[in-house]
Amino acid sequence: MSKTNKLALIPVMFCFFAMGFVDLVGIASNYVKEDLALNDSTANIFPSLVFFWFLIFSVPTGMLMNKIGRKKTVLLSLIVTIVSLFLPLFGENFPIMLCAFSLLGIGNALMQTSLNPLVSTVMGGGNLASTLTFGQFIKAIASFLAPYLAMWGATQMIPSFGYDWRILFAIYFVVGILAAILLAITPIQEEKMEGKASSFAECIKLLGTPIVLLSFFGIMCHVGIDVGTNTTAPKILMERLGMTLNDAAFATSLYFIFRTIGCLTGSFFLRVLPNRTFFIISVCMMALSMCGLFIGTEKWMLYTAIALVGYGNSNIFSICFAQALTSMPEKQNEVSGLMIMGLFGGTIFPLLMGFASDAMGQAGAVIVMAIGVLYLFTYINKVKNA
């Protein structure tokens, strides 16, 4: 790899950190719920809204990359993300937070679709898999820092300048600007795009292929469980153990710590174990965690359950994505667009979980996530052993 490419990796990794900003939605929605006295179904609109935009923007982003290039598309995603982080600094009334979370989702949809291809441009095909894995590790740092920053701001352990827990937005706003400046001033040589971007119609037709459809549902379940745990874990600790939100915020960080460990160790296990074997182990861990979250009333059991779902869910996306991609090598752009659209599962699950938890407590939310885990058991036979 040339010296220029090595330097280009620095701003790209900053962008992966910025990609992790989307995971602040879980802890932020809990604080907004408390501050605005919302019920669960209303508060869960926020994480649902963030992931709704993946349905709308994933395929058009592919078309946009063909027109303006990958670097400019990532820069656009950073600008939208920066604006989303700036809005809550003016207040936290319902319209402002709705707008901020919408823009955060749009920015992240643009970034998820364009940043990975930019990595392949920078790497020139060398060590791509390990670089992407490292990028996911950097992203996870932003994810598990978010609850701590919000908690420290709320308890005045760091200077919050009157923003309280919203100091989280101010800190990530500054980092986002830094990431955008670094990327803008870094020269990255891009090859001309060949062929045309896939349209919605071309993508939707591929859902007629069973493995593509089943993988799409698998990714929906993965993201739904991911966002669901992120949002619901603190609520479970508050309901069962009587914790305050500031204390319960640790649950979200615990989830992301084990998801990060899962990403790093999973890249090794997927090389030495058959994919199907590792997938079965992962889904069994998630099933055990659902049992713990449903019946657990002690701290050790609930923390163990959160850790299990964090580790178990960490590699589901990559396995489902790979199964779909290798099944249709001649249609990889279209399949990639569809799989990113599957992140829309982050909209459906929190909405259903909000209604279920309002009806029967947080156990209702766990039941909704458990349905997603049950689906992943049915997907096991579709995972090739390669």
Side-chain angles (χ1 to χ4, degrees):
M1 186 166 63
S2 70
K3 187 177 180 182
T4 306
N5 281 0
K6 283 180 182 175
L7 288 175
L9 269 180
I10 296 171
V12 166
M13 288 303 144
F14 261 97
C15 293
F16 270 104
F17 189 86
M19 190 193 284
F21 293 173
V22 74
D23 289 322
L24 66 79
V25 65
I27 194 62
S29 63
N30 281 310
Y31 276 105
V32 173
K33 177 194 171 188
E34 190 173 82
D35 291 352
L36 302 183
L38 306 175
N39 61 18
D40 272 342
S41 50
T42 305
N44 279 17
I45 288 173
F46 293 113
S48 294
L49 194 60
V50 166
F51 288 90
F52 168 75
W53 300 107
F54 285 92
L55 182 68
I56 308 298
F57 281 94
S58 55
V59 175
T61 301
M63 300 173 186
L64 184 65
M65 277 194 290
N66 273 6
K67 288 184 178 178
I68 68 172
R70 293 166 177 173
K71 177 182 169 180
K72 286 181 180 175
T73 307
V74 175
L75 278 171
L76 176 62
S77 75
L78 284 168
I79 291 167
V80 176
T81 300
I82 288 165
V83 173
S84 78
L85 297 167
F86 187 57
L87 288 178
L89 303 183
F90 290 102
E92 62 167 323
N93 62 50
F94 199 75
I96 284 179
M97 298 311 289
L98 273 181
C99 190
F101 280 73
S102 288
L103 288 173
L104 184 63
I106 292 168
N108 205 258
L110 293 169
M111 202 181 305
Q112 293 262 20
T113 312
S114 58
L115 186 56
N116 287 341
L118 184 65
V119 173
S120 93
T121 300
V122 171
M123 296 304 296
N127 296 317
L128 178 59
S130 59
T131 308
L132 289 175
T133 300
F134 186 69
Q136 289 299 312
F137 170 68
I138 297 294
K139 173 182 179 285
I141 294 173
S143 300
F144 72 73
L145 276 179
Y148 280 120
L149 293 174
M151 176 182 65
W152 289 336
T155 55
Q156 306 297 312
M157 290 174 70
I158 57 174
S160 64
F161 306 102
Y163 288 125
D164 199 40
W165 67 270
R166 287 179 294 129
I167 192 67
L168 162 68
F169 289 98
I171 293 167
Y172 280 177
F173 171 72
V174 172
V175 177
I177 290 174
L178 180 60
I181 292 171
L182 278 173
L183 184 62
I185 64 175
T186 303
I188 297 176
Q189 194 69 38
E190 294 187 52
E191 293 180 6
K192 290 268 187 181
M193 297 281 186
E194 294 182 8
K196 66 182 182 69
S198 50
S199 68
F200 273 110
E202 289 167 332
C203 275
I204 298 304
K205 279 181 187 174
L206 292 177
L207 287 176
T209 308
I211 185 61
V212 174
L213 180 64
L214 295 172
S215 299
F216 177 81
F217 285 142
I219 285 174
M220 286 187 72
C221 290
H222 153 75
V223 178
I225 294 164
D226 182 63
V227 179
T229 306
N230 182 359
T231 307
T232 302
K235 296 176 186 174
I236 292 175
L237 295 183
M238 291 160 69
E239 179 184 87
R240 310 264 177 87
L241 304 177
M243 286 186 175
T244 64
L245 178 53
N246 289 331
D247 291 332
F250 171 70
T252 304
S253 285
L254 180 67
Y255 171 76
F256 284 117
I257 288 167
F258 275 87
R259 201 180 75 171
T260 306
I261 295 169
C263 284
L264 289 177
T265 57
S267 60
F268 166 74
F269 286 128
L270 286 169
R271 284 199 299 269
V272 299
L273 286 174
N275 283 0
R276 185 181 294 175
T277 303
F278 189 62
F279 189 85
I280 291 169
I281 293 168
S282 298
V283 178
C284 287
M285 291 174 78
M286 292 165 72
L288 282 172
S289 82
M290 292 300 120
C291 295
L293 291 173
F294 188 77
I295 64 170
T297 54
E298 295 183 36
K299 187 185 286 187
W300 70 267
M301 185 183 288
L302 292 171
Y303 279 4
T304 302
I306 293 165
L308 280 171
V309 72
Y311 192 97
N313 202 27
S314 59
N315 293 284
I316 300 297
F317 177 86
S318 58
I319 294 173
C320 291
F321 199 96
Q323 299 306 308
L325 224 56
T326 54
S327 70
M328 302 189 76
E330 76 288 354
K331 294 279 189 183
Q332 288 199 349
N333 285 345
E334 290 87 343
V335 172
S336 294
L338 267 183
M339 295 304 110
I340 296 297
M341 281 174 69
L343 299 178
F344 177 64
T347 293
I348 296 170
F349 273 70
L351 280 178
L352 295 175
M353 290 167 68
F355 290 123
S357 59
D358 279 341
M360 56 181 293
Q362 298 308 321
V366 176
I367 290 172
V368 175
M369 290 194 290
I371 292 169
V373 176
L374 284 175
Y375 173 79
L376 292 174
F377 273 109
T378 71
Y379 186 79
I380 287 171
N381 288 333
K382 304 298 176 187
V383 180
K384 293 176 183 173
N385 272 320

